[in-house]
Amino acid sequence: MMNSMLGRKSLLWFAAAISVLTFTTVATANAASRERPCNGSVDLCSRTFDQVTLPGTHNSMSNEEYGWLIPNQHYSIPTQLDYGVRAFLVDTHYGKDNGDGTVSNVPKAQRNDPGVKMYFCHEYCSLGFSELIPELAKVADFLSSHPREVLAFVVQDGLVPEDLATAVTDSGLIDYVYRGSTEQYPTLSEMISTNQRVVMLSENDTGDVPWYHDGYGGPMQETPYDFRYGNASMQTQVAMANLTETGNLYDSCQPNRGGTTGKLFLMNHWVNGPLVGPGNIAPDPAVAAVLNQPDVLVNRATACKQRRGMFPTIVAVDDFGEGDLTDAVRQLNGVTAKPFFEVTRTKNATVRAGRKATYRLAVSNWGDAESALTKVCATVPARLAVKPKCRTFFVPQANPGKATTSLTIASRGKGKGTGPVKFTISGGGDSVTTSASLTVKQVKKKKPKRNRR
């Protein structure tokens, strides 16, 4: 889906282009027999939520795109969503706008003071902030236009739970919140059908909010997360070796918060950078470029499976976009990226014998890969028309990506009657069919005029 070979500017431009598309569901020729993918793959639809691995980010809200200082991520949460991130580790705080483009933290005891709002911040809002409700509204907008995606949030709860609930409600995200059990999860398909597609977990306090679950109080377990290193390069390599060297992986998966009982399992996979201030760390993209390689992620997840008896539900990294987290997660889920086509049934055609009929086809792609060489071929009744050559075209991946193409069929000069035309659209490992009718009419010969004397 994305790798480190793509430049950040081109990625941001592409995300912006995606955001302006209007997504609609169309009636398709094969919709009745094919369920659309769940989180990019049909194979995941029948799995329960705890049996699926989600690509996640650490301090998801702290990002370079919005101009945060000491960012953990290159991209904002909305952009991460566009590129496949489905789990978010976030921090919430109360803050007050200073009127100069900065925000200062406000303690919970002053949360009702005039001008105090809820924010995403990483410890200190002076280092970067996003107002909570508008940012959650962007997540709700994504879910509205991507109806087959399931997400998870793990919230470091600097807010009173009831205030977070207000933010979730006011942003519209409440319409997608999962309200079921954390002891027995439904399948992704069931979560999608009920539109309960966002599992909300806290790190500590959930108050009396029924859909807000105390993550480490039963639902979730995790690995250690603090592999801190100092300024020396030798210390950096030693810290990274905890997550890359085979002999160290088993120990890196030891139980941390949540013990060993939760059905969800968070694999924290980053190395904290050198200290740059009180409680603040500087992530290093060069380190993430190594740690986020698919083989490194898969090897560690496999070691965690050996120690903990389960693959991670969430693999959380710093500097998403370095390496290839989404490819690693596909490997852990045992799926491959491929398109999923739906084609709108084309109109029937009627032509005179010897003339050409043009069929236009609209194709949507609900899968998690583009199809650069999509082929459309047609079979025709030999008595009515000449079989046309296949045609190739490009179908983007944008959930759904959309493309149109056409195929021209030449009728026979002596053809007459009606018959079916079957179209096959294939590419990237997927194939669908649709059909239409072709009616060929003979041209009536004009009777010669009689000469009158």
Side-chain angles (χ1 to χ4, degrees), residues 140-159:
D141 289 343
F142 173 87
L143 291 166
S144 176
S145 60
H146 295 72
R148 305 291 296 180
E149 303 300 319
V150 177
L151 314 179
F153 276 83
V154 182
V155 183
Q156 183 173 312
D157 35 327
L159 303 178

Side-chain angles (χ1 to χ4, degrees), residues 114-450:
V116 173
K117 295 182 178 180
M118 294 175 280
Y119 291 92
F120 279 134
C121 302
H122 183 210
E123 299 297 336
Y124 302 99
C125 294
S126 58
L127 297 175
F129 61 90
S130 298
E131 193 175 338
L132 183 60
I133 293 175
E135 201 70 0
L136 291 180
K138 296 175 186 177
V139 178
D141 289 343
F142 173 87
L143 291 166
S144 176
S145 60
H146 295 72
R148 305 291 296 180
E149 303 300 319
V150 177
L151 314 179
F153 276 83
V154 182
V155 183
Q156 183 173 312
D157 35 327
L159 303 178
V160 172
E162 287 70 24
D163 287 345
L164 178 73
T166 297
V168 171
T169 300
D170 291 350
S171 67
L173 189 62
I174 191 66
D175 295 339
Y176 306 99
V177 166
Y178 173 68
R179 300 174 182 276
S181 170
T182 56
E183 296 181 359
Q184 187 67 43
Y185 289 94
T187 64
L188 294 196
S189 182
E190 290 168 338
M191 295 175 76
I192 289 167
S193 66
T194 60
N195 213 24
Q196 297 185 30
R197 298 187 279 131
V198 183
V199 177
M200 297 292 296
L201 304 164
S202 77
E203 288 193 358
N204 293 291
D205 186 15
T206 59
D208 296 322
V209 181
W211 45 260
Y212 193 28
H213 306 285
D214 181 359
Y216 299 118
M220 186 170 66
Q221 52 184 294
E222 67 162 4
T223 67
Y225 57 83
D226 192 353
F227 297 96
R228 193 177 304 275
Y229 64 83
N231 291 305
S233 60
M234 180 60 71
Q235 291 175 304
T236 301
Q237 296 303 319
V238 170
M240 292 172 64
N242 289 313
L243 306 181
T244 59
E245 297 295 330
T246 301
N248 297 334
L249 298 183
Y250 189 83
D251 287 340
S252 79
C253 297
Q254 63 185 286
N256 198 34
R257 294 174 298 180
T260 59
T261 58
K263 294 183 73 67
L264 307 182
F265 177 28
L266 166 61
M267 188 176 91
N268 299 305
H269 191 85
W270 63 86
V271 169
N272 291 324
L275 294 174
V276 295
N280 301 317
I281 56 176
D284 186 346
V287 172
V290 175
L291 297 183
N292 297 355
Q293 290 300 318
D295 58 335
V296 174
L297 291 163
V298 171
N299 288 343
R300 184 165 180 239
T302 302
C304 288
K305 170 70 162 56
Q306 294 171 348
R307 177 156 190 167
R308 307 292 285 272
M310 59 198 303
F311 278 118
T313 314
I314 300 171
V315 176
V317 302
D318 272 343
D319 288 314
F320 171 75
E322 306 293 342
D324 198 338
L325 170 65
T326 51
D327 180 62
V329 168
R330 288 193 193 99
Q331 292 184 46
L332 294 173
N333 282 323
V335 301
T336 57
K338 65 179 184 178
F340 182 94
F341 299 128
E342 289 182 354
V343 55
T344 302
R345 190 185 299 276
T346 186
K347 293 181 179 179
N348 300 329
T350 300
V351 296
R352 291 183 177 184
R355 301 286 181 87
K356 295 179 179 179
T358 298
Y359 293 87
R360 292 179 174 81
L361 301 103
V363 180
S364 299
N365 177 13
W366 290 87
D368 60 354
E370 66 181 27
S371 181
L373 294 175
T374 309
K375 183 184 293 185
V376 56
C377 301
T379 58
V380 298
R383 61 186 175 83
L384 296 179
V386 179
K387 184 177 180 179
K389 293 182 178 180
C390 296
R391 186 171 185 175
T392 58
F393 63 108
F394 172 74
V395 182
Q397 179 261 319
N399 199 15
K402 295 186 177 182
T404 57
T405 190
S406 62
L407 205 61
T408 299
I409 296 174
S411 65
R412 296 187 182 278
K414 295 183 179 181
K416 182 180 180 180
T418 300
V421 178
K422 180 181 178 181
F423 301 91
T424 300
I425 295 90
S426 59
D430 193 39
S431 178
V432 293
T433 61
T434 188
S435 61
S437 69
L438 172 65
T439 299
V440 180
K441 294 183 176 181
Q442 282 289 322
V443 179
K444 292 183 179 180
K445 294 182 179 181
K446 294 182 179 180
K447 294 181 180 181
K449 293 183 179 180
R450 292 181 179 179

